[in-house]
């Protein structure tokens, strides 16, 4: 009986272990295939001209696979999105966790979650038919499909991530610390601004990082609203010009390239760059989050 | 109450017929008490008797509880602190509070001290440095931390953190300090240090302390009030309360028959 029970335990543990490991195995396999197909490019095309090339022109002769316009397109749109979503997201998080009554907070939170549930194509559609024409009109542009349109839409899409993670960070600050501040005659706002926010800063930074990761990897929306012109955007006027991101490039061109061609491998190379960037951003978020846990507990 | 034993003293806090409700729960009933200036007054009683709730009325920390409502008068130096035109910020500057669990801010030791003075408008660096040194000395912590003022306050031991919280309270120069079970999370040695500190502080401050530890009340306080079920059952000279209680339930409590 004991023998049988022990075996059953072992079997369950082993099954769970392998199911758990499956995620990691899949991740490793994705990495392997992605990098293998990306590296193949450099047997026919120079690595240097890929990394430093200022033109993405796969139909030229010889074809040009310069990463820079796509990379800067992604960076510009993401940076714009962060500039909009961070102030909005953090103030919303402060309002929900510190100022709103529990009833108002419990009313607001589901709405923010709904924001996260809207498919990206719907955001793209909204950006295309509503936001782009307005921006064109207000800013007197030749087209509304510019980096800024993408930034605004991405900002809205990154908001739920930033709000909910910042809110967790703020709420996790023990209320005894707030009481300590209030008892010294600090106002509610002084307490939030000078004690709670600095204490939650690493958690909030992690939220910003994850929001950034969400924005940089977003494809459908940016493809629909940013105009997709693969030119190096000017800084800062590029924000009101058409740009093309790395994600949009892959989505637009992958359907048309012959499998195994040089162009095909170039797209994989772009995908690898994207993968490395999001990986680094998530890693940074993770490190910041850990640091913040230590900070509150002392070392 | 017009206690006879307080006849010759200046009264710092005067409470008249204070009633407090948390929702429908009548947590404090008809509390009337005079607390003398520059003395240590301790509040004892079993858990849930309302002593912590009461002490939080004196600096209006109960304002933070949404369901809390209050009737009656709390006078701090003859000023009704529940009057509409009272500035809570000014009140809390005058009436400091030290909490049950040490709650230093996640900042450096020096920043913990300067936080209060800064929010109350002191900007001069020399003045702030002077306050840091003075407050830490008054809280008997200076010798232990003077070489690491820029280190995180969270790296201090529990007892040191609590003394830092006391120093932080002293830094805004209050007249009254409320202690809400300040030693309940500390070891006996740290407790002894805090007690010694409280006895030194009574020269300059009016002190009200809530404690679960009856020996502590007996050791450090001049006057003791015994709370039960949201009422003050007995209030008097600490010696009289502990040696010759007039009320049966006080005697039962201090002799350990319940509580």
């Amino acid at each position: 009986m004991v023998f049988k029970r022990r075996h059953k335990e072992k079997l369950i543990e082993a099954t769970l272990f392998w199911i758990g490991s499956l995620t990691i195995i899949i991740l490793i396999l994705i990495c392997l295939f992605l990098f293998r197909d990306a590296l193949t490019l450099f047997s026919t095309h120079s690595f240097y001209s890929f990394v430093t090339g200022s033109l993405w022109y796969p139909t030229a002769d010889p074809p040009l696979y310069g990463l820079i316009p796509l990379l800067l397109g992604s960076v510009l749109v993401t940076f714009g999105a962060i500039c909009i979503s961070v102030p909005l997201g953090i103030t919303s998080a402060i309002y929900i966790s510190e100022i709103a009554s529990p009833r108002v907070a419990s009313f607001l939170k589901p709405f923010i979650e709904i924001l996260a549930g809207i498919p990206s194509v719907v955001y793209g559609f909204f950006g295309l038919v509503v936001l782009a024409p307005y921006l064109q009109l207000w800013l007197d542009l030749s087209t509304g499909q510019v980096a800024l349109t993408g930034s605004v839409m991405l900002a809205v899409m990154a908001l739920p991530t930033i709000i909910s993670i910042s809110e967790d960070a703020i709420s996790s600050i023990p209320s005894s610390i707030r009481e300590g501040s209030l008892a010294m005659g600090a106002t509610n706002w002084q307490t939030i601004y000078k004690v709670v926010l600095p204490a939650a800063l690493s958690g909030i930074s992690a939220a910003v990082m994850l929001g950034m990761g969400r924005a940089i990897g977003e494809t459908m929306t940016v493809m629909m609203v940013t105009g997709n012109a693969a030119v190096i955007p000017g800084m800062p006027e590029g924000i009101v010009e058409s740009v093309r991101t790395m994600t949009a490039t892959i989505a637009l061109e992958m359907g048309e390239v012959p499998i195994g061609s040089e162009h095909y491998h170039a797209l994989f190379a772009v995908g690898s760059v994207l993968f490395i960037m999001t990986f680094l951003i998530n890693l940074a978020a993770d490190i910041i989050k850990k640091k913040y846990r230590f900070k509150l507990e002392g070392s | 109450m017009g206690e006879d034993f307080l006849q010759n003293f200046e009264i710092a806090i005067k409470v008249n017929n204070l009633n407090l409700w948390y929702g429908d729960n009548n947590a404090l009933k008809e509390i009337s008490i005079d607390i003398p200036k520059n003395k240590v007054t301790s509040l004892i009683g079993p858990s849930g008797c309302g002593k912590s709730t009461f002490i939080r009325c004196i600096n209006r920390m109960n304002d933070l509880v949404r369901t809390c409502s209050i009737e009656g008068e709390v006078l701090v130096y003859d000023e009704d602190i529940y009057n509409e035109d009272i500035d809570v910020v000014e009140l809390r500057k005058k009436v400091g509070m030290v909490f049950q669990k040490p709650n230093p801010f996640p900042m450096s030791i020096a920043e913990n001290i300067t936080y209060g003075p800064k929010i109350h408008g002191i900007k001069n660096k020399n003045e702030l440095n002077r306050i840091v040194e003075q407050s830490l000395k008054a809280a008997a912590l200076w010798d232990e931390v003077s070489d690491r003022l820029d280190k995180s306050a969270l790296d201090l031991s529990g007892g040191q953190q609590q003394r830092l919280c006391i120093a932080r309270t002293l830094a805004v120069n209050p007249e009254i300090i409320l202690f809400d079970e300040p030693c309940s999370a500390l070891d006996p040695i740290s407790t002894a240090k805090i007690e010694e500190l409280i006895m030194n502080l009574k020269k300059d401050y009016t002190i009200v302390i809530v404690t679960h530890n009856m020996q502590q009340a007996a050791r450090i306080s001049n006057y003791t009030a015994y709370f039960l079920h949201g009422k003050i059952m007995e209030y008097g000279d600490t010696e009289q309360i502990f040696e010759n209680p007039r009320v049966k339930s006080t005697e039962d409590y201090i002799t350990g028959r319940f509580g």
Side-chain angles (χ1 to χ4, degrees):
Chain A
M1 224 13 220
V2 176
F3 180 77
K4 207 180 154 193
R5 210 185 302 147
R6 211 177 283 156
H7 264 260
K8 207 174 151 194
E9 280 289 307
K10 277 258 158 41
L11 189 72
I12 292 171
E13 276 174 26
T15 316
L16 291 180
F17 171 78
W18 283 109
I19 293 173
S21 307
L22 198 61
T23 337
I24 298 168
I25 294 170
I26 291 172
L27 178 70
I28 292 171
L29 287 179
I30 289 176
C31 286
L32 278 180
F33 281 104
L34 186 64
F35 289 130
R36 191 198 64 184
D37 275 315
L39 289 174
T40 315
L41 172 71
F42 304 120
S43 59
T44 55
H45 191 270
S46 108
F47 178 73
Y48 182 78
S49 73
F50 172 72
V51 177
T52 60
S54 58
L55 282 173
W56 178 269
Y57 201 2
T59 51
D61 191 26
L64 297 166
Y65 302 114
L67 178 68
I68 300 297
L70 311 183
L71 183 71
L72 289 183
S74 279
V75 169
L76 182 69
V77 174
T78 307
F79 179 75
I82 288 301
C83 287
I84 300 167
S85 61
V86 165
L88 275 179
I90 295 176
T91 22
S92 308
I94 292 171
Y95 178 72
I96 289 173
S97 60
E98 296 288 304
I99 298 166
S101 68
R103 266 186 57 196
V104 175
S106 65
F107 175 77
L108 284 177
K109 275 186 180 173
F111 279 97
I112 291 159
E113 275 147 31
I114 290 172
L115 218 54
I118 297 174
S120 58
V121 67
V122 176
Y123 279 109
F125 184 68
F126 177 83
L128 191 62
V129 301
V130 180
L131 185 64
Y134 272 111
L135 281 181
Q136 186 181 3
L137 200 67
W138 288 334
L139 302 174
D140 196 21
L141 305 170
S142 53
T143 169
Q145 293 182 37
V146 293
L148 181 62
T149 321
S151 293
V152 174
M153 294 320 298
L154 283 187
V156 178
M157 295 172 79
L159 269 181
T161 311
I162 295 180
I163 295 176
S164 64
I165 297 174
S166 303
E167 200 228 318
D168 281 349
I170 295 171
S171 311
S172 74
I173 305 302
S175 61
S176 65
I177 289 181
R178 291 186 186 83
E179 287 193 337
S181 170
L182 293 169
M184 302 194 62
T187 62
N188 206 6
W189 174 243
Q190 283 170 328
T191 302
I192 293 170
Y193 183 68
K194 295 191 170 160
V195 178
V196 176
L197 282 189
L201 193 63
S202 347
I204 293 172
S205 317
V208 171
M209 288 290 186
L210 289 172
M212 205 193 288
R214 170 101 172 82
I216 204 167
E218 179 47 48
T219 307
M220 184 52 85
T221 311
V222 284
M223 192 171 86
M224 288 169 80
V225 301
T226 56
N228 300 319
V231 289
I232 293 182
M235 303 281 178
E237 74 276 10
I239 195 80
V240 288
E241 288 165 6
S242 290
V243 294
R244 191 200 287 198
T245 62
M246 295 189 283
T247 49
T249 306
I250 298 171
L252 283 168
E253 295 176 8
M254 195 49 106
E256 294 161 12
V257 298
I259 293 171
S261 67
E262 196 182 46
H263 189 183
Y264 173 88
H265 291 300
L267 293 178
F268 268 95
V270 173
S272 305
V273 172
L274 193 61
F275 177 83
I276 292 168
M277 284 178 74
T278 41
F279 177 75
L280 289 179
I281 290 171
N282 280 302
L283 192 70
D286 210 46
I287 291 170
I288 294 170
K289 253 202 300 206
K290 285 213 181 89
K291 198 180 131 208
Y292 136 90
R293 205 156 50 220
F294 283 121
K295 202 178 157 198
L296 267 185
E297 287 164 5
S299 56
Chain B
M1 251 186 207
E3 282 87 1
D4 303 338
F5 58 90
L6 294 174
Q7 255 175 13
N8 301 321
F9 295 112
E10 196 180 331
I11 300 300
I13 304 162
K14 195 172 176 63
V15 178
N16 294 324
N17 298 321
L18 179 72
N19 274 287
L20 181 145
W21 289 267
Y22 289 131
D24 297 328
N25 175 21
N26 192 187
L28 293 177
K29 298 164 193 158
E30 297 293 314
I31 300 283
S32 293
I33 185 172
D34 291 351
I35 294 173
K37 194 183 167 188
N38 290 13
K39 299 283 174 195
V40 179
T41 303
S42 64
L43 313 177
I44 60 169
S47 296
C49 67
K51 54 195 191 306
S52 282
T53 300
F54 172 69
I55 205 174
R56 282 164 168 262
C57 289
I58 305 173
N59 64 347
R60 290 188 54 173
M61 284 305 275
N62 282 328
D63 289 11
L64 303 180
V65 182
R66 282 171 203 277
T67 56
C68 174
S69 59
I70 281 171
E71 255 175 33
E73 265 185 336
V74 180
L75 306 172
V76 173
Y77 292 111
D78 296 325
E79 207 173 3
D80 184 355
I81 61 166
Y82 284 93
N83 198 320
E84 270 177 21
D85 39 70
I86 275 286
D87 181 2
V88 181
V89 168
E90 282 302 312
L91 170 73
R92 289 181 184 156
K93 214 171 124 184
K94 209 157 51 178
V95 185
M97 186 169 214
V98 175
F99 294 81
Q100 191 167 355
K101 257 178 70 188
N103 56 351
F105 303 133
M107 311 171 182
S108 75
I109 294 170
E111 282 167 333
N112 262 277
I113 307 284
T114 55
Y115 177 75
K118 273 185 182 165
I119 57 174
H120 295 305
I122 297 175
K123 289 196 184 97
N124 185 304
K125 272 232 170 83
N126 294 330
E127 174 72 0
L128 288 170
N129 288 338
R130 192 190 60 74
I131 291 174
V132 169
E133 185 172 341
Q134 194 187 10
S135 311
L136 286 171
K137 278 183 174 160
L141 190 61
W142 175 254
D143 294 339
E144 290 161 58
V145 302
S146 61
D147 56 340
R148 48 177 172 144
L149 294 174
D150 56 343
K151 296 275 162 21
S152 170
L154 299 170
D155 291 339
L156 297 174
S157 73
Q160 287 174 324
Q161 288 189 2
Q162 194 63 305
R163 275 179 285 150
L164 179 67
C165 291
I166 296 173
R168 185 174 78 182
T169 308
L170 299 178
V172 292
N173 209 8
E175 291 168 46
I176 297 167
I177 306 176
L178 311 172
F179 287 86
D180 188 2
E181 296 184 44
C183 302
S184 62
L186 304 181
D187 62 86
I189 294 169
S190 303
T191 301
K193 282 187 182 161
I194 304 265
E195 286 184 8
E196 196 188 325
L197 180 57
I198 290 174
M199 288 198 279
N200 286 332
L201 290 174
K202 77 173 173 195
K203 287 198 301 287
D204 306 307
Y205 305 93
T206 301
I207 288 168
V208 185
I209 177 171
V210 167
T211 177
H212 258 122
N213 180 334
M214 278 174 285
Q215 285 76 29
Q216 184 170 64
R219 277 192 299 263
I220 65 174
S221 67
N222 304 101
Y223 303 100
T224 298
Y226 170 60
F227 278 68
L228 184 66
H229 305 315
K231 287 185 196 153
I232 295 181
M233 304 303 286
E234 187 168 359
Y235 177 41
D237 217 85
T238 297
E239 221 164 278
Q240 175 257 310
I241 293 276
F242 280 91
E243 281 167 18
N244 188 19
R246 295 199 185 101
V247 179
K248 178 77 170 57
S249 78
T250 316
E251 191 183 337
D252 288 350
Y253 181 67
I254 60 175
T255 53
R257 242 166 280 171
F258 82 99

